[in-house]
Amino acid sequence: MPQPPAFVSWFRQSSPYIHAHRRRTFVIFFGGNAVGEPEFDNLIHDFALLRSLGVRLVLVHGIRQQIDERLAERGDTPKFHHHLRITDATTLQYVKQAAGLVRVEIEALLSMGVSGSPMAGAKIRVASGNFVTARPLGVLDGIDYCYTGKVRRIDNEAIHQQLDQHNVVLISPIGYSPSGEVFNLAAEEVATEVAIALQADKLILLTEQDCLSPDEQRPLPQLTTTQAEELLETHPDFPATLARSLRAAVQSCRQGVQRAHLINRHVDGALLLELFTRDGVGTLVSSTAFETIRPAALDDIAGIMELIKPLEAEGVLVKRSREKLEMRIGDYIVIERDGLIIGCTAFHAMDDGNSAEIACLAVHPDYRRGARGNSLLEYLSAKAKTEAVKRLFVRSTQTVHWFVERGFSPCELGDLPDAMRDGYNYRRNSKLLVKDIV
């Protein structure tokens, strides 16, 4: 258990995410092999916690392992083509059995309320139903998939009605045709189509392993949809199960889902760590970059002030009032990471039209090893070229070497533009540097 100060700090840091996730719709997919494992209880507890925090929760489970077990018990061999099961009439019976068993098992776990357990007082109501209309997949490459189907339509209105009544919606990977037939569906496809139909805020795919860079075997904390597609195209040997989840993430984000997450379910508490900490533990997929450098807006002032306040207290930066920031907000550039301002700087153009001052360059302590200061400086250099600025000036008391290492040279007070020279604070005795833009 964390010490009280650590717990308080963590709880405070998670509060923005608690507020942000309330009344949001999350679709969570997990495979059938997760059900029945000892750690599945913890996952159920985390689902219950999300529900108690006001998240509108849709759970989509798989049943592949349960079907294979029934086939093995009867001496039958599973048949697949392109990672899709060929569902004949006999296998369809196993599909129905597996879906019913897994659904009942999950409903029972979500219904727990034993005093002293994490589920105490949860009182979760679970709604299941014929929310998925399907059609037969048909014959592909000369292979008849029989009762393997494809999602035709999601009854999003019925699902929303259940969510509006504060129910957790549980969906099995089976679909029904208007003629009354039952089809076996790919669970990842069901989860993706449900998320798209609901225009969910998040699609969360619980995977069997971490999503790692194929070349360096390091975690991939975030990917745009374009980067994810390039990764799959250039690495055909990417693990098949992860590739399916990554394709599902890309498809959902391309069709209106705000964000998708790939999370290793074997990491205890990974779901909570991904959703309620700044950096998470999984892989975030989104249509736009998770972290961006952009011009600041008035809404960013509070974030900028929080970022620079410790540096002002240490004397690294000159103190700036809120009013001064508001007046010159158009000069500021920020790095935004998931709604948090983690870096900023200012570009003050001089009246001579040929020079500008770099000011207020700051990066959050937790992110100073990611070359974000360099990124801000590169952004300002590009801005200077665009605006035909020939010289960039800096006043610094404690970061002189950092600027020198990046091409700045010492200069004299007389070299400064008039506005900078007139505003020079002799008490701070700042060092002066300049860089020519070519």
Side-chain angles (χ1 to χ4, degrees):
M1 179 178 178
Q3 296 300 314
F7 173 77
V8 171
S9 175
W10 171 83
F11 206 6
R12 287 172 177 164
Q13 290 177 11
S14 68
S15 60
Y17 299 98
I18 294 173
H19 299 316
H21 298 333
R22 187 175 295 121
R23 291 184 293 277
R24 302 298 184 184
T25 301
F26 293 0
V27 177
I28 302 179
F29 158 79
F30 52 94
N33 49 350
V35 182
E37 293 187 1
E39 59 263 31
F40 189 62
D41 286 355
N42 289 335
L43 197 55
I44 288 289
H45 299 158
D46 294 344
F47 294 158
L49 180 57
L50 290 180
R51 174 63 195 84
S52 70
L53 293 173
V55 174
R56 293 158 54 92
L57 206 56
V58 180
L59 305 178
V60 180
H61 68 84
I63 53 175
R64 175 172 290 193
Q65 177 172 298
Q66 287 77 8
I67 298 171
D68 287 343
E69 289 172 353
R70 276 154 184 76
L71 287 168
E73 288 171 0
R74 291 157 178 80
D76 295 329
T77 302
K79 299 173 185 174
F80 291 90
H81 185 65
H82 292 321
H83 302 289
L84 284 174
R85 187 185 300 277
I86 300 170
T87 310
D88 57 21
T90 301
T91 305
L92 181 62
Q93 300 308 310
Y94 303 150
V95 169
K96 295 176 181 178
Q97 294 171 17
L101 178 67
V102 172
R103 185 178 70 247
V104 169
E105 184 70 23
I106 295 171
E107 289 177 348
L109 291 171
L110 287 170
S111 301
M112 290 191 302
V114 178
S115 178
S117 75
M119 297 289 289
K123 296 182 180 178
I124 294 174
R125 292 179 301 179
V126 183
S128 302
N130 56 339
F131 301 121
V132 182
T133 301
R135 63 174 177 82
L137 192 58
V139 178
L140 297 175
D141 300 328
I143 303 297
D144 187 353
Y145 281 86
C146 302
Y147 292 97
T148 297
K150 187 174 180 62
V151 175
R152 180 177 175 183
R153 187 176 67 85
I154 303 295
D155 191 346
N156 59 303
E157 291 185 3
I159 296 174
H160 275 304
Q161 287 176 0
Q162 295 297 330
L163 295 174
D164 291 343
Q165 295 174 26
H166 310 293
N167 296 332
V168 170
V169 176
L170 179 62
I171 299 178
S172 300
I174 55 176
Y176 307 92
S177 73
S179 59
E181 292 179 293
V182 178
F183 293 101
N184 178 29
L185 308 176
E188 291 97 335
E189 181 198 358
V190 174
T192 304
E193 294 296 339
V194 168
I196 293 169
L198 296 178
Q199 289 295 278
D201 298 279
K202 291 184 185 293
L203 169 62
I204 300 171
L205 301 133
L206 300 180
T207 62
E208 297 302 310
Q209 61 191 98
D210 292 319
C211 189
L212 303 176
S213 165
D215 298 325
E216 303 173 11
Q217 290 299 297
R218 58 175 178 79
L220 292 169
Q222 60 205 39
L223 292 168
T224 63
T225 50
T226 300
Q227 290 171 333
E229 288 174 328
E230 290 174 353
L231 173 66
L232 293 171
E233 183 177 346
T234 56
H235 293 86
D237 57 343
F238 199 68
T241 55
L242 279 178
R244 288 199 296 272
S245 292
L246 203 52
R247 290 190 185 95
V250 169
Q251 181 186 348
S252 64
C253 290
R254 293 283 193 203
Q255 298 187 51
V257 177
Q258 292 184 15
R259 290 178 176 177
H261 301 255
L262 276 65
I263 307 173
N264 185 346
R265 71 172 181 87
H266 295 289
V267 178
D268 186 28
L271 182 60
L272 303 182
L273 289 168
E274 178 71 6
L275 294 175
F276 296 101
T277 63
R278 188 179 300 142
D279 297 319
V281 295
T283 298
L284 168 67
V285 179
S286 58
S287 296
T288 56
F290 177 61
E291 181 177 309
T292 58
I293 300 180
R294 58 170 177 79
L298 286 172
D299 289 344
D300 299 317
I301 289 177
I304 294 173
M305 293 186 70
E306 184 176 354
L307 175 66
I308 65 177
K309 185 177 179 180
L311 297 173
E312 291 177 344
E314 295 170 9
V316 177
L317 295 178
V318 176
K319 290 187 177 181
R320 293 164 173 79
S321 66
R322 186 182 186 92
E323 291 74 16
K324 187 174 182 180
L325 280 172
E326 288 178 353
M327 290 175 60
R328 307 199 69 173
I329 193 64
D331 291 353
Y332 282 80
I333 309 298
V334 296
I335 303 177
E336 180 187 5
R337 182 181 177 86
D338 196 25
L340 177 74
I341 303 301
I342 65 167
C344 74
T345 190
F347 183 92
H348 300 313
M350 298 293 114
D351 291 338
D352 60 14
N354 295 318
S355 56
E357 179 186 14
I358 295 175
C360 195
L361 198 154
V363 176
H364 191 285
D366 293 346
Y367 298 94
R368 287 178 184 166
R369 294 185 179 181
R372 291 175 175 85
N374 290 339
S375 298
L376 286 170
L377 195 57
E378 290 169 3
Y379 186 100
L380 295 184
S381 296
K383 182 177 175 67
K385 290 180 180 179
T386 300
E387 299 184 9
V389 169
K390 303 300 183 183
R391 308 188 85 192
L392 287 176
F393 290 91
V394 175
R395 288 180 280 190
S396 176
T397 59
Q398 298 182 37
T399 57
V400 173
H401 284 178
W402 188 87
F403 283 102
V404 169
E405 291 167 1
R406 286 152 182 83
F408 284 77
S409 303
C411 65
E412 301 298 329
L413 188 63
D415 297 325
L416 299 181
D418 292 342
M420 286 186 67
R421 187 168 57 249
D422 294 343
Y424 184 78
N425 186 337
Y426 288 90
R427 293 184 62 183
R428 281 182 61 81
N429 194 28
S430 300
K431 302 292 185 180
L432 305 175
L433 302 107
V434 64
K435 181 178 182 180
D436 293 325
I437 302 299
V438 294

